């Protein structure tokens, strides 16, 4: 089991229910593969530094989870197909920092 | 000639000492014992990029090898997530139009000059070059 963090930028113009659908799909993939979800943070609407697919704004959310490496490949596949997702990135968090609690999830910074 | 060289030697030694003192700048991440440089911490990462959004060199930031690599990696992740720019124009108006008029080749040259400004620590290089020049002159 390894700890990962998923950064998700979804279309800011879509409805809340559609966005929840994306996170639910992520959750079900992680849980069904035997992983578990951790903290999450929502920054909300934030202007992008440069336009992505002609969007100047995105909805930022971050999800931490524990899973096997194979789960990440599956998430990669699903998220790259999802239309609502402008961009995503899954980062592996270093074990040492997780144990010492030196990698807190930043919550603020919504601009 | 030999007299001149011996005369110049103590000067060179002094400048070498000054260099040594100058380089003793501890890595800020080692001081804070950080184990994870967060790509979401935009305010922190902005300190390590230039006004053209280039990653600052280690000799400018004073970071150790490991932390410089981690900072650079965090900046690259933040760029992918549109939290930091890949490139930016300096905002100040005096840079907008240089002596060349602001178009064509003169503009290109200006960019190159600014690149040099960004990366070179003037003290470091000047001291070294200056003392060598002085030595050569003395020998001649």
């Amino acid at each position: 089991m390894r700890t990962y963090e998923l950064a998700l930028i979804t279309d800011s113009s879509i409805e809340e229910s559609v966005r929840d659908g994306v996170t639910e799909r992520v959750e079900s993939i992680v849980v069904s593969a035997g992983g578990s979800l951790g903290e999450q943070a929502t920054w909300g609407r934030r202007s992008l530094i440069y336009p992505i697919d002609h969007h100047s704004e995105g909805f930022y959310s971050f999800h931490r989870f524990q899973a096997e490496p194979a789960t990440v490949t599956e998430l990669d596949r699903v998220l790259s197909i999802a239309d609502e997702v402008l961009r995503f990135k899954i980062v592996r968090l270093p074990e040492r920092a997780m144990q010492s609690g030196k990698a807190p999830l930043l919550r603020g910074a919504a601009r | 000639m030999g007299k001149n060289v011996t005369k110049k030697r103590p000067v060179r030694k002094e400048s070498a000492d000054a260099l040594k003192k100058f380089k003793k700048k501890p890595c800020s991440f080692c001081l804070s014992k950080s184990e994870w440089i967060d790509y979401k911490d935009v305010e922190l990462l902005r300190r390590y990029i230039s006004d053209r959004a280039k990653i600052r060199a280690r000799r400018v930031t004073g970071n150790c090898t490991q932390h410089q690599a981690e900072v650079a990696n965090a900046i690259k992740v933040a760029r992918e997530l549109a939290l930091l720019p890949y490139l930016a124009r300096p905002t100040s108006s005096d840079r907008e139009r240089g002596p060349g008029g602001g178009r064509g080749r003169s503009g290109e040259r200006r960019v190159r000059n600014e690149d040099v400004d960004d990366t070179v620590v003037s003290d470091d290089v000047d001291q070294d070059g200056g003392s060598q020049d002085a030595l050569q002159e003395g020998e001649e």
Side-chain angles (χ1 to χ4, degrees):
Chain A
M1 281 293 193
R2 282 168 178 170
T3 315
Y4 297 95
E5 185 173 301
L6 164 70
L8 202 60
I9 309 177
T10 45
D11 193 336
S12 61
S13 60
I14 59 170
E15 281 174 38
E16 203 64 39
S17 57
V18 184
R19 190 171 294 128
D20 288 344
V22 178
T23 44
E24 265 168 40
R25 253 187 294 166
V26 171
E27 281 168 22
S28 69
I29 289 166
V30 172
V31 171
S32 66
S36 60
L37 283 133
E39 307 174 85
Q40 52 175 290
T42 310
W43 284 10
R45 282 164 74 114
R46 194 178 200 278
S47 58
L48 304 169
I49 290 282
Y50 54 88
I52 300 175
D53 293 342
H54 307 291
H55 292 281
S56 59
E57 252 186 0
F59 192 98
Y60 281 76
S61 59
F62 301 91
H63 310 262
R64 282 194 175 175
F65 58 93
Q66 288 206 317
E68 299 293 342
T71 317
V72 176
T73 353
E74 173 64 9
L75 271 179
D76 247 339
R77 193 187 65 81
V78 171
L79 289 173
S80 53
I81 294 170
D83 287 333
E84 312 85 8
V85 178
L86 287 185
R87 191 155 292 187
F88 69 95
K89 191 160 179 75
I90 302 169
V91 176
R92 185 177 146 198
L93 300 170
E95 274 90 37
R96 268 220 347 245
M98 289 310 293
Q99 278 162 10
S100 61
K102 276 192 175 165
L105 189 65
L106 286 180
R107 290 177 185 284
R111 253 189 301 167
Chain B
M1 197 175 110
K3 213 177 181 181
N4 270 340
V5 172
T6 46
K7 209 175 169 186
K8 287 287 174 187
R9 242 177 214 151
V11 177
R12 196 185 177 193
K13 207 180 170 188
E14 255 175 38
S15 73
D17 277 348
L19 262 179
K20 228 177 183 179
K21 266 177 202 165
F22 179 76
K23 279 190 178 171
K24 258 191 202 170
K25 189 178 167 190
C27 167
S28 59
F29 293 100
C30 288
L31 284 179
S32 64
K33 293 187 177 165
S34 107
E35 281 172 12
W36 164 244
I37 298 170
D38 203 333
Y39 60 90
K40 300 191 289 303
D41 197 345
V42 180
E43 291 303 307
L44 175 84
L45 296 180
R46 274 203 184 275
R47 277 189 256 148
Y48 295 98
I49 61 174
S50 71
D51 55 351
R52 285 196 170 265
K54 294 162 70 163
I55 299 172
R56 287 222 158 96
R58 181 178 10 259
R59 63 174 176 275
V60 179
T61 61
N63 287 345
C64 68
T65 319
Q66 193 186 340
H67 285 121
Q68 175 70 16
E70 283 175 26
V71 168
N73 202 38
I75 289 171
K76 286 166 188 171
V77 172
R79 279 176 179 169
E80 275 192 66
L81 293 167
L83 296 171
L84 286 179
Y86 278 101
L87 76 165
R89 299 247 139 220
T91 43
S92 60
S93 54
D94 56 338
R95 285 194 173 191
E96 208 68 52
R97 265 170 185 262
R103 275 209 161 211
R105 283 199 65 210
S106 60
E108 277 173 38
R109 219 177 298 140
R110 212 169 68 236
V111 169
R112 238 175 276 142
N113 283 342
E114 273 166 13
D115 286 354
V116 171
D117 281 352
D118 264 352
T119 48
V120 174
V121 180
S122 55
D123 290 40
D124 203 322
V125 172
D126 279 348
Q127 275 182 351
D128 199 32
S131 63
Q132 269 178 8
D133 283 351
L135 196 74
Q136 276 172 356
E137 274 167 27
E139 276 170 354
E140 279 164 10

